[in-house]
Amino acid sequence: MTTYSLGPKCRNEREKNAWTDCVELYEHSINKIKSTVDPNTKCSATDAQTWLSTALTNLETCKAGFEELGVTDYVMPLMSNNVSSLISNALALNHGYYTESSNTQVDGFPTWVSPGDRKLLQSSSPSSTASQANVVVATDGSGDFKTVKEAVDAAAKNKGSGRFVIYVKAGIYSENVEIGEKVKNVMLIGDGIGKTIITGSKSVGSGSTTFRSATVGASGDGFIAQGITIRNTAGPQKHQAVALRSGSDLSVFYQCSFEGYQDTLYAHSNRQFYKECDIYGTVDFIFGNAAVVLQNCNIFARDPPNKINTVTAQGRTDPNQNTGISIHNCRITGAGSTKSVRTYLGRPWQKYSRTVVMKTFLDGLINSEGWLPWSGNFALNTLYYGEYLNTGPGSSTGNRVNWGGYRVITSSAEASKFTPANFIAGNSWIPATNVPFTSGL
């Protein structure tokens, strides 16, 4: 109730923006906590640890929104309640069960999957896709709607229990799209990278929170996107400006492109999988506190104003959160001229930041130290940063940082913890989407 009471105290638009985020995020946290204790909700130990991790992440995001907009006078009273501590205690209590389950789930696919969904992702013909979609979006008026937002609104009104498929024809859609928490099992399918483009320009520099700056934000579980470019064109001078934000549990992104500068891809929370995607950015451009695996993706570092790039900024705040960024069998290279740019694999946004880069090609733009501090000695002994069997001119670990939390992984058993099968329980839900993936190393 403290969060709701802040509304009337908001003195300007910036404060109102941060407060609006907090109301939504607190509601999401309440729903995730309810799901872990509801006897009518199927909940494995992995599910519980994921949803509790998400609940805690939401509270941290609320606090961050106030701070990044310079609203601090009543943030600490808001955050001084014991909700975060209670969630941390629950994470610790459940951790033993979660570890014993080896991060796997019972066999079988989510209830929302039907054979038609799997065939749809196999289809390479736009006309075939259109015929199977619930609605079609086209800028020229040849579909059911002219904007993606209108199609998402239609999905929200849909009373069916199956997947709602939105086919977005080739074109440029200048809009910000939110797929809310209650809008589950939505699939956006475009005509391909560079053909179907959703673009926006919100940023912290223009008064938005990082959370709300997203061109596309997905909170409803089971979200899938394929063949779409999502951009944020705010530019490198506007600071945090998100292209995609996903807090959707069991979400999949296949053959999509995410284009921005600082904070391009916000893997906010829950379990996520990215396959054959392109990600462009500069500062912390893959960040958040989801349990996320990026596989066979192209990661492009752009030319930043201060000539320093950080590919990742992972935000784990509690050692029992089952979150982290796993970059598997990808390519990290430069976009354009980056000869004078120092590029690092990541820096610790939060105390227990966790990122692993495995079997990935690292171009020569990667600095020999590999990783960059956030501030002084913060998190250097509590983070978990690992590299395993990477290749390319930037992959040598001979001059890497000597932090307590950094390690060159030599054990395949240790590396396997960060594969789709083990890190996000992918064998129990990714096959149902028919997106090709490598389960193990």
Side-chain angles (χ1 to χ4, degrees), residues 1-186:
M1 295 306 296
T2 304
T3 309
Y4 288 97
S5 69
L6 286 177
K9 299 179 182 178
C10 292
R11 296 166 298 211
N12 54 48
E13 194 66 25
R14 296 170 75 87
E15 294 183 2
K16 182 180 178 181
N17 289 343
W19 172 75
T20 301
D21 286 357
C22 277
V23 170
E24 179 178 324
L25 289 160
Y26 264 70
E27 288 177 347
H28 289 184
S29 290
I30 291 168
N31 291 335
K32 289 300 181 185
I33 293 169
K34 284 181 177 178
S35 294
T36 66
V37 297
D38 183 358
N40 297 316
T41 299
K42 184 179 178 182
C43 178
S44 68
T46 302
D47 292 330
Q49 205 71 358
T50 297
W51 298 338
L52 289 169
S53 296
T54 295
L56 187 58
T57 298
N58 289 338
L59 303 189
E60 292 295 330
T61 304
C62 164
K63 178 181 176 182
F66 279 104
E67 292 177 342
E68 68 193 9
L69 292 182
V71 184
T72 59
D73 50 353
Y74 49 76
V75 174
M76 295 320 296
L78 165 67
M79 299 308 296
S80 65
N81 60 52
N82 62 356
V83 177
S84 294
S85 297
L86 291 172
I87 296 174
S88 291
N89 290 341
L91 279 165
L93 289 170
N94 188 64
H95 183 73
Y97 299 104
Y98 165 70
T99 304
E100 290 172 8
S101 71
S102 300
N103 204 20
T104 56
Q105 296 179 353
V106 295
D107 293 334
F109 299 138
T111 56
W112 45 258
V113 174
S114 70
D117 296 336
R118 295 193 286 275
K119 291 178 181 177
L120 190 60
L121 277 172
Q122 285 182 311
S123 176
S124 59
S125 167
S127 59
S128 175
T129 301
S131 67
Q132 298 178 64
N134 294 83
V135 296
V136 177
V137 181
T139 57
D140 61 6
S142 62
D144 301 291
F145 303 105
K146 288 186 177 182
T147 69
V148 180
K149 182 182 183 304
E150 289 175 303
V152 171
D153 289 343
K157 296 175 183 177
N158 179 52
K159 301 302 181 183
S161 58
R163 179 163 295 285
F164 193 92
V165 180
I166 300 170
Y167 168 43
V168 187
K169 286 187 175 182
I172 298 177
Y173 300 84
S174 298
E175 53 180 311
N176 290 82
V177 180
E178 284 281 345
I179 298 97
E181 185 186 31
K182 295 180 181 179
V183 188
K184 302 180 187 297
N185 307 326
V186 168

Side-chain angles (χ1 to χ4, degrees), residues 14 28 38 41-43 45 64 68 99 101 125 152 177 188-189 201 213 228 257 274 287 294 297 332 339 352 389 392:
R14 296 170 75 87
H28 289 184
D38 183 358
T41 299
K42 184 179 178 182
C43 178
E68 68 193 9
T99 304
S101 71
S125 167
V152 171
V177 180
L188 286 184
I189 297 185
S201 60
S213 70
I228 293 177
S257 182
Y274 296 74
F287 77 112
L294 298 96
C297 293
I332 301 178
K339 291 183 179 179
Y352 299 98
L389 296 184

Side-chain angles (χ1 to χ4, degrees), residues 243-316:
L244 171 75
R245 183 196 76 242
S246 177
S248 167
D249 198 17
L250 311 181
S251 54
V252 174
F253 302 86
Y254 181 42
Q255 296 178 341
C256 291
S257 182
F258 310 105
E259 302 174 7
Y261 292 89
Q262 182 173 349
D263 289 6
T264 301
L265 175 56
Y266 195 175
H268 180 264
S269 54
N270 285 302
R271 290 162 287 193
Q272 308 181 23
F273 180 67
Y274 296 74
K275 179 75 173 187
E276 296 177 20
C277 292
D278 297 339
I279 306 107
Y280 295 80
T282 54
V283 179
D284 307 336
F285 65 97
I286 302 172
F287 77 112
N289 197 25
V292 55
V293 177
L294 298 96
Q295 192 173 83
N296 299 105
C297 293
N298 296 308
I299 299 170
F300 297 104
R302 287 176 147 172
D303 188 0
N306 66 352
K307 303 303 179 183
I308 298 177
N309 283 326
T310 42
V311 176
T312 67
Q314 204 283 325
R316 192 166 65 137

